[in-house]
Amino acid sequence: MYVRPYDPDRAAAAPPPASAASGATAVPWSGPAAVLQQIDVAALVDVAKRNDCSIAFRVAPGRTVSRAMPLAEVTGAELAGPVLRDAVVTGIERTFDSDPELPFRLLVDIALRALSPAIHDPATAVESLDRLEDLLTRLADRELDIGHFADDTGRLRVTVPVPDWEQYVRTAVDDLVFAATGSPMALRGMRDMLTRLLERSPEDRRAVVRDRLRWVERTGSETYPLVWTPHGGDATGARSGRGMGSGPFS
């Protein structure tokens, strides 16, 4: 899905995320609750071009739609609800086809189960962290803003919500930091993962990783003061163990 390398200059010049457009018509979901699995973007681009309109989805693949929830907003013309609903595939569970966040969710769920008091298997949690690190490293230098689709004239016709870098990091890390508090082994594994990821990420993607590294360092030093040894380095570097007074988790 992510074939283009990340270009910070292009990201800085990108338009802000789509919001409710003036004059847009909301198209609600009318069926029973279901997981949005796929969107036939090519078909919708053709529909939008024929009707001289644009379609902005409000629900991303992998999310659950329920009755009356806005599925999309149409600007420039009116489209019948069935036109949009016929272009999406729904089901009872998430799938890998158009849901790039699903592998992260599954790996995190494995680690959460491993860290639960009933199982208490931190080694398995650390193995899950290794896989999460691999996925995050693959995405660190990729262009993630892939949810805009134009017709053959270059006019934007369809937009679909997609995860950004911060969302991926939050999904992969936040729940696990709370769960890993009871395991110094898992906390050290989290620290090692974040340290390496910080070193491999573009500069303007490091802040969200650095904040979580500080969070883990503070949690480890406060919970296990006798055994926790912070990494050396300056407060803003990849191996920072000091300077815990900044960032949203301070």
Side-chain angles (χ1 to χ4, degrees):
M1 296 183 69
Y2 302 112
V3 297
R4 293 187 302 175
Y6 176 59
D7 182 352
D9 294 333
R10 181 171 56 207
S19 57
S22 175
T25 301
V27 179
W29 179 252
S30 60
V35 175
L36 180 61
Q37 295 176 333
Q38 295 184 56
I39 299 173
D40 190 342
V41 171
L44 289 174
V45 168
D46 289 341
V47 168
K49 182 180 180 181
R50 289 197 306 270
N51 291 273
D52 193 23
C53 65
S54 60
I55 303 169
F57 275 84
R58 295 302 168 208
V59 182
R63 299 296 186 255
T64 298
V65 289
S66 56
R67 191 177 300 275
M69 176 185 292
L71 176 65
E73 291 178 344
V74 179
T75 305
E78 291 189 7
L79 293 179
V83 173
L84 292 185
R85 291 189 288 272
D86 289 347
V88 302
V89 177
T90 60
I92 61 173
E93 60 185 2
R94 298 171 71 171
T95 66
F96 288 99
D97 294 331
S98 302
D99 185 0
E101 203 176 0
L102 178 57
F104 292 85
R105 186 69 259 168
L106 293 177
L107 287 166
V108 169
D109 287 348
I110 291 171
L112 289 174
R113 292 189 187 97
L115 292 172
S116 67
I119 298 178
H120 191 59
D121 181 12
T124 294
V126 172
E127 289 185 20
S128 296
L129 288 174
D130 291 340
R131 304 304 189 272
L132 287 165
E133 178 184 345
D134 178 64
L135 293 179
L136 287 170
T137 301
R138 290 168 184 254
L139 295 180
D141 64 350
R142 297 283 94 187
E143 178 57 60
L144 305 181
D145 187 13
I146 61 171
H148 297 78
F149 304 91
D151 61 21
D152 54 6
T153 69
R155 182 172 175 180
L156 181 65
R157 293 297 185 182
V158 177
T159 59
V160 177
V162 293
D164 60 11
W165 175 245
E166 182 172 355
Q167 185 172 338
Y168 276 121
V169 174
R170 287 181 180 276
T171 299
V173 174
D174 288 12
D175 289 345
L176 286 179
V177 175
F178 288 110
T181 301
S183 169
M185 178 180 179
L187 274 177
R188 284 194 295 267
M190 180 70 73
R191 178 177 64 182
D192 292 343
M193 180 191 82
L194 291 170
T195 298
R196 291 188 292 265
L197 182 62
L198 189 61
E199 294 169 345
R200 298 166 184 168
S201 300
E203 180 59 38
D204 62 341
R205 285 184 170 177
R206 290 181 177 177
V208 64
V209 182
R210 186 179 290 116
D211 283 342
R212 278 145 185 83
L213 181 55
R214 289 169 172 162
W215 182 13
V216 170
E217 287 282 16
R218 190 181 71 246
T219 300
S221 61
E222 292 177 353
T223 308
Y224 304 102
L226 299 180
V227 299
W228 190 264
T229 304
H231 276 307
D234 61 77
T236 59
R239 297 186 179 278
S240 173
R242 300 188 296 275
M244 298 298 118
S246 60
F249 298 104
S250 299

